[in-house]
Amino acid sequence: MKVAFVGLGVMGYPMAGHLQKAGHDVTVYNRTSARAAAWVDTYAGTHAATPKEAAQGAEMVFVCVGNDDDVRSVVLGEQGVLAGLSKGSIIVDHTTASAHLAVELAAASKTQGVGFLDAPVSGGQAGAENGVLTIMVGGEANDFDRAAPVMAAFGRTVKHMGESGNGQKTKMVNQLFIAGLIQSLSEGIRFAQKSGLDVNEVIDVIKGGAAQSWQLENRGPTMVQGKFDFGFAIDWMRKDLGICFEEADRIGAETPVARLVDQFYAELQAQGHNRDDTSSLIRRL
Amino acid sequence: MKVAFVGLGVMGYPMAGHLQKAGHDVTVYNRTSARAAAWVDTYAGTHAATPKEAAQGAEMVFVCVGNDDDVRSVVLGEQGVLAGLSKGSIIVDHTTASAHLAVELAAASKTQGVGFLDAPVSGGQAGAENGVLTIMVGGEANDFDRAAPVMAAFGRTVKHMGESGNGQKTKMVNQLFIAGLIQSLSEGIRFAQKSGLDVNEVIDVIKGGAAQSWQLENRGPTMVQGKFDFGFAIDWMRKDLGICFEEADRIGAETPVARLVDQFYAELQAQGHNRDDTSSLIRRL
């Protein structure tokens, strides 16, 4: 299938690569064109000068950029994806962005006969590189049914969550779950260290019980070591939580611990730790 | 082996039963003697009138009572376990209690040539009934080596964490990990419900990724249903957190989210929800 990929960041770069390796004919666009050129060197495929040019002739366009403004620009801009797409094509937005943006862009796309899916991912850089992302998708079922087999190139779990915006809302729930979980791991691990316990032994015994979590098993030992370079940076988490709190205010959902943890992240940002991963909350303790 | 079990609560009752079924000769003591009589009706074994009487002739005495004062009373009291035990025997305390109590009782036991292990458990009522508890043990290695095969009757993971008090400290870490985790699940699940998402579908997709946890998989769906009768009550969690905060103050460990969650539990207690399980934090939201 002829497809395009817009945004070759730490996630998009390997995701686009998986599409090419799966046999698709991929045209890429990236704001920093040197990175797009490097991608073409690695995977073959084609390098376009604008999102519009990348989209021309494509059946599906995948987007994975920074935030709401970036998505709006690469989709709706004069040189944006919609300007290049033909009727019957589909835009799949893998950016973590707001649910209302998804609704807005789905409506704008529909007026041109183009489908739009909000499809944020979880699994991080490693998940993108290994092609085992979890993808939470909002939008029309027939668009999902066409796009899901293509997303399978880089997704292990690809799930339709309902109408436009529901992919984003599901991702927000994911981030709410993680925020307090990591803070609790931080409090427990620091307590264990100050108690003189062998923390790796503590993690080993606890992870078999009711306190078990992916974060405990995977980030617990690296938090003990003080290593915080596992990809998902504080800057990005705060962006996601900001989107989440905006939606929470709209629907009247209380998120006291997530908001407290967000303030802890803000402190770490102010100390210059903004590119450390989310498990670096333990630094504060 | 001739053993005794003191405290036939929701945990102790099935734990003592597993010892009897494993072929040990078990004498039980319980403050409410009708419950001890019921236990003897179910499992055979013997019913003693006091902890001292239960301990007489026993090689090991297992204790599982309410709090520090209860443990001190059944171990050190005039009619307590130590008054009945012979040199070379071992007391295994499965109560979640303070680390300094464990140190105190280990010292008192030692003067009589008796071993003392602090051995709090996790896994809840179901873990006790199915004999698959996690047991975190502090105390001398030779005592642990003798007691571990006996504890295997009701423990799937039985681990020596080092000196006296370290079992209790490890359990505290477990409770710190869980406190914020459950609050985050509450915030995320309530957000999902207010967003109009199908929350069971949300849990299903998220549990494959970085937000996965035992609590999400096991308590998530029951929180969605509003069922809060899964054994580990708010009253008990607050007791455990109280012990934990006392230790945290002593060692200078910060636990801001656990303390916030403890206040949320206090609110629920004040509303009469004190016997609901810990996942009922979602009620507040």
Side-chain angles (χ1 to χ4, degrees):
Chain A
M1 187 186 297
K2 187 163 164 42
V3 303
F5 206 107
V6 174
L8 302 172
V10 292
M11 302 296 287
Y13 194 100
M15 288 163 76
H18 283 294
L19 288 173
Q20 184 76 14
K21 285 185 280 180
H24 299 294
D25 174 9
V26 184
T27 300
V28 297
Y29 168 79
N30 192 61
R31 193 160 50 186
T32 305
S33 66
R35 193 163 163 90
W39 188 92
V40 171
D41 282 348
T42 305
Y43 294 105
T46 312
H47 173 190
T50 64
K52 175 182 173 180
E53 187 186 313
Q56 278 161 350
E59 195 171 328
M60 286 181 202
V61 178
F62 299 86
V63 175
C64 194
V65 293
N67 58 32
D68 277 28
D69 287 346
D70 298 329
V71 178
R72 193 177 273 111
S73 161
V74 301
V75 172
L76 298 181
E78 201 177 314
Q79 297 298 318
V81 164
L82 265 182
L85 278 178
S86 310
K87 199 171 166 172
S89 56
I90 299 174
I91 299 169
V92 182
D93 181 21
H94 291 300
T95 314
T96 295
S98 66
H100 63 77
L101 179 75
V103 172
E104 173 194 336
L105 295 185
S109 301
K110 196 165 191 173
T111 63
Q112 296 193 28
V114 172
F116 183 92
L117 298 170
D118 51 298
V121 304
S122 75
Q125 188 173 346
E129 287 167 356
N130 298 317
V132 294
L133 292 168
T134 293
I135 313 179
M136 300 150 268
V137 188
E140 293 189 8
N142 56 340
D143 293 329
F144 174 81
D145 292 343
R146 282 172 59 202
V150 186
M151 287 189 267
F154 46 76
R156 183 168 55 192
T157 304
V158 183
K159 190 150 178 142
H160 188 218
M161 303 308 300
E163 63 188 15
S164 287
N166 279 11
Q168 298 296 351
K169 289 175 185 172
T170 302
K171 178 68 186 283
M172 293 175 207
V173 175
N174 189 76
Q175 305 304 61
L176 285 174
F177 284 168
I178 286 177
L181 199 172
I182 296 178
Q183 174 63 20
S184 281
L185 290 185
S186 300
E187 294 180 11
I189 289 171
R190 198 57 102 212
F191 176 98
Q193 289 174 322
K194 293 195 175 184
S195 291
L197 292 167
D198 179 329
V199 192
N200 288 315
E201 293 283 297
V202 170
I203 291 172
D204 196 50
V205 66
I206 285 179
K207 76 183 185 193
Q212 179 278 339
S213 66
W214 185 96
Q215 295 286 341
L216 176 60
E217 291 182 7
N218 289 275
R219 284 294 75 74
T222 57
M223 290 164 79
V224 174
Q225 292 163 42
K227 289 190 182 168
F228 306 116
D229 53 353
F230 295 91
F232 197 68
I234 288 176
D235 280 347
W236 308 338
M237 185 61 162
R238 290 208 71 210
K239 185 208 80 173
D240 290 7
L241 288 173
I243 291 167
C244 180
F245 297 151
E246 194 187 328
E247 184 72 14
D249 286 342
R250 211 182 60 75
I251 63 177
E254 290 180 65
T255 56
V257 160
R259 283 172 202 261
L260 182 61
V261 170
D262 183 56
Q263 287 313 301
F264 295 160
Y265 281 132
E267 288 176 30
L268 290 165
Q269 271 184 325
Q271 291 164 23
H273 298 307
N274 53 307
R275 289 290 172 177
D276 285 353
D277 76 58
T278 48
S279 72
S280 62
L281 272 176
I282 195 172
R283 276 191 198 277
R284 287 187 61 263
L285 299 175
Chain B
M1 187 187 296
K2 188 164 163 42
V3 302
F5 206 107
V6 173
L8 301 172
V10 293
M11 302 297 285
Y13 195 100
M15 289 163 76
H18 283 293
L19 288 173
Q20 183 77 14
K21 284 185 280 182
H24 298 295
D25 174 10
V26 184
T27 300
V28 296
Y29 168 79
N30 193 62
R31 194 161 48 187
T32 306
S33 67
R35 193 163 163 91
W39 187 93
V40 171
D41 283 349
T42 305
Y43 295 105
T46 310
H47 172 189
T50 64
K52 175 181 172 181
E53 187 187 313
Q56 278 161 349
E59 194 171 329
M60 285 181 202
V61 178
F62 299 86
V63 174
C64 194
V65 293
N67 57 33
D68 277 29
D69 288 345
D70 298 329
V71 178
R72 195 177 273 111
S73 162
V74 301
V75 172
L76 298 181
E78 202 177 313
Q79 296 299 318
V81 164
L82 264 182
L85 277 178
S86 309
K87 200 170 166 173
S89 57
I90 299 174
I91 299 170
V92 182
D93 181 21
H94 292 301
T95 313
T96 296
S98 66
H100 62 77
L101 179 74
V103 172
E104 172 193 335
L105 295 186
S109 301
K110 196 165 190 174
T111 63
Q112 297 193 28
V114 172
F116 183 92
L117 299 169
D118 51 297
V121 303
S122 75
Q125 189 172 347
E129 287 167 356
N130 298 317
V132 294
L133 293 168
T134 294
I135 312 178
M136 301 150 266
V137 188
E140 292 189 8
N142 55 340
D143 292 330
F144 174 81
D145 291 343
R146 281 173 58 203
V150 185
M151 287 189 269
F154 46 77
R156 183 167 54 194
T157 304
V158 183
K159 189 147 177 146
H160 189 218
M161 303 307 300
E163 64 188 15
S164 286
N166 279 12
Q168 297 297 352
K169 290 175 185 171
T170 302
K171 177 69 185 283
M172 294 176 206
V173 175
N174 189 76
Q175 304 305 61
L176 286 174
F177 284 168
I178 285 178
L181 199 172
I182 295 178
Q183 174 64 20
S184 282
L185 291 184
S186 300
E187 294 180 12
I189 289 172
R190 198 57 103 211
F191 176 97
Q193 290 174 321
K194 293 195 173 182
S195 291
L197 292 167
D198 180 328
V199 191
N200 288 314
E201 293 284 297
V202 170
I203 291 172
D204 196 49
V205 66
I206 285 180
K207 76 183 185 193
Q212 179 278 338
S213 65
W214 186 97
Q215 295 286 341
L216 176 60
E217 292 183 5
N218 291 275
R219 285 292 76 74
T222 57
M223 289 164 79
V224 173
Q225 293 163 40
K227 289 189 180 167
F228 306 115
D229 53 354
F230 296 91
F232 197 67
I234 288 177
D235 281 346
W236 308 339
M237 185 62 162
R238 291 208 72 210
K239 184 209 79 172
D240 289 7
L241 288 173
I243 291 168
C244 180
F245 297 151
E246 193 187 329
E247 184 72 14
D249 286 341
R250 210 181 61 77
I251 63 178
E254 289 180 66
T255 56
V257 160
R259 282 172 202 262
L260 183 59
V261 170
D262 183 56
Q263 288 311 301
F264 295 160
Y265 281 132
E267 288 176 28
L268 289 166
Q269 271 183 326
Q271 292 164 22
H273 299 306
N274 53 306
R275 288 290 172 177
D276 285 353
D277 77 57
T278 48
S279 71
S280 62
L281 273 176
I282 195 171
R283 275 190 197 278
R284 287 187 61 264
L285 300 175

